[in-house]
Amino acid sequence: MKGALKFKHTDIPRQSGELARLRVVQGPDVGAIFVVNRAQVTMGRGEEADIQLSDLKTSRAHAKLTFFGGAWKVDDLGSSNGILLNGLATRSTNLRTGDVIGLGESLLELVGAEVGTQILRAPMKSAQQIQAEADAFQAHVQRVRSVGSAAKSSTPAGAGLPKPVKLALFAALALGGVWFFSQGGSEQVIKEAKKKDLVARDPASYIKKNDAISLAADQFFKEGYREFREGNYLRAKQKFETVLQMSPGHGLALQLLNSSKTQIDGQVKKYLENGKQSMELCKLKEAQGDFASVTNLLYRDQSNPNYIEAQDQIKKIEEAKKGGCIR
């Protein structure tokens, strides 16, 4: 039996044993959903592939997906055309929810089983939407860098510029940041960014001397921003933390990181409350799902009191299942 089930529409409930799903956003199979129920599956056009594509530009055994240590990984199996991750060529790389894998002329969006039901069943992105997001982000990056180039042609990072020129530079950078968020970002984050004037106070964070680091930080920020917009705050938090490791002065990444943490805290509180209510009503399966969501959100912070509480509640549920639920 193959390790993935194929469906023709997106609005399907979570399946038994589901580990992830791949949504075909471009190619001959566009619109199809592959629900992965094994920790290792193959992808390609061959009949033996778990995820069998109609795309003639894919190899019979093109790539494999592996789930290990709580994360997905994709590996090329020696295909003739290789694979892409979010538009960049790769042979082997780790994956996160929202990543888009390119095989032949097909694009497949990965959605991990850890996401909420609303996101799991949400309509898939179109290829045009993916391209539009990439184009909008690159336009923003070029706008900011063009301002930086003008500043550096006079003096490094604006040092020694006359006050009117400095103000113009800072204003342009600030407007560039506001423009970016106006494409669909959080209204609250925009207000906070305006109030604290993070971009204007630190324009050098957008003017990088090391282009390799700059491009990598740009890519992670773009991915984090996409996750933030879609409500995947844990994924967003991890992306923004990576940006800040490479670019500690990145004011917008810091702002969105803090906002992501606030959203995660709110989700944790809600799951704990719902789990306790379900426990009181002897709805053990629902309660276990809520407490498991808490541990998933806080798995990197296992000393957190909320993580410990959720773990304790899961143990109580296991005991209750054995002895019968007692109100």
Side-chain angles (χ1 to χ4, degrees):
M1 181 171 140
K2 291 189 175 183
L5 302 173
K6 184 178 182 180
F7 297 86
K8 294 183 178 180
H9 56 88
T10 61
D11 189 20
I12 56 173
R14 195 183 302 273
Q15 302 295 296
S16 176
E18 178 175 348
L19 296 177
R21 59 182 61 182
L22 287 165
R23 311 197 289 200
V24 185
V25 299
Q26 179 174 297
D29 301 293
V30 64
I33 302 291
F34 291 93
V35 174
V36 180
N37 50 34
R38 282 212 311 249
Q40 181 170 300
V41 293
T42 56
M43 308 165 66
R45 61 181 173 81
E47 293 182 359
E48 67 280 4
D50 296 296
I51 298 173
Q52 185 179 5
L53 300 171
S54 305
D55 189 345
L56 297 179
K57 294 297 179 68
T58 61
S59 299
R60 294 185 60 83
H62 199 112
K64 71 175 179 180
L65 286 175
T66 306
F67 187 69
F68 180 76
W72 284 99
K73 180 183 179 184
V74 63
D75 293 286
D76 187 15
L77 293 177
S79 65
S80 56
N81 294 325
I83 56 178
L84 301 176
L85 176 65
N86 300 322
L88 300 177
T90 183
R91 287 291 177 182
S92 177
T93 185
N94 291 328
L95 302 170
R96 299 183 185 277
T97 289
D99 282 341
V100 177
I101 307 167
L103 292 80
E105 296 180 341
S106 299
L107 295 176
L108 297 88
E109 179 187 9
L110 176 73
V111 181
E114 79 280 0
V115 303
T117 302
Q118 184 176 1
I119 297 175
L120 195 70
R121 301 177 67 172
M124 70 176 68
K125 292 181 181 179
S126 66
Q128 292 79 9
Q129 181 182 357
I130 292 172
Q131 186 61 47
E133 289 181 358
D135 291 344
F137 181 81
Q138 288 304 320
H140 164 71
V141 171
Q142 291 303 320
R143 179 175 299 193
V144 172
R145 285 181 176 169
S146 65
V147 174
S149 298
K152 287 192 289 184
S153 66
S154 299
T155 184
L161 287 173
K163 187 174 181 179
V165 178
K166 284 186 180 180
L167 292 175
L169 170 60
F170 293 167
L173 285 167
L175 287 172
V178 172
W179 172 87
F180 179 63
F181 281 99
S182 69
Q183 305 305 305
S186 165
E187 182 178 350
Q188 182 61 33
V189 172
I190 295 171
K191 290 179 180 178
E192 290 298 319
K194 286 180 178 177
K195 182 174 69 176
K196 296 184 179 180
D197 204 16
L198 290 170
V199 182
R201 286 193 288 114
D202 190 15
S205 65
Y206 292 92
I207 305 171
K208 304 299 180 185
K209 294 180 180 179
N210 189 323
D211 286 341
I213 294 177
S214 177
L215 289 172
D218 285 345
Q219 179 65 24
F220 278 108
F221 183 77
K222 172 186 174 182
E223 294 170 3
Y225 177 65
R226 181 186 65 196
E227 299 286 4
F228 184 86
R229 287 181 58 183
E230 295 182 355
N232 301 328
Y233 299 113
L234 180 60
R235 301 289 189 186
K237 173 177 173 289
Q238 294 167 351
K239 295 289 185 181
F240 295 134
E241 286 174 340
T242 302
V243 173
L244 291 168
Q245 288 175 358
M246 294 185 287
S247 179
H250 200 302
L252 292 176
L254 178 60
Q255 183 70 15
L256 282 170
L257 173 61
N258 291 333
S259 184
S260 297
K261 289 178 179 178
T262 299
Q263 294 289 345
I264 291 171
D265 289 343
Q267 290 178 331
V268 166
K269 182 179 179 181
K270 181 178 178 181
Y271 281 128
L272 285 174
E273 291 175 352
N274 290 345
K276 291 175 182 177
Q277 291 175 2
S278 296
M279 285 277 285
E280 293 176 358
L281 298 172
C282 290
K283 297 180 178 180
L284 301 182
K285 186 175 181 180
E286 293 180 14
Q288 188 170 26
D290 287 323
F291 294 129
S293 295
V294 173
T295 59
N296 287 338
L297 287 169
L298 300 176
Y299 75 97
R300 288 191 174 184
D301 185 16
Q302 298 186 14
S303 62
N304 189 303
N306 290 325
Y307 180 92
I308 296 171
E309 180 181 358
Q311 287 282 67
D312 291 341
Q313 294 288 0
I314 290 173
K315 292 178 182 178
K316 290 180 181 179
I317 291 172
E318 294 298 332
E319 293 297 322
K321 286 181 178 179
K322 296 176 183 178
C325 185
I326 303 175
R327 294 183 186 273

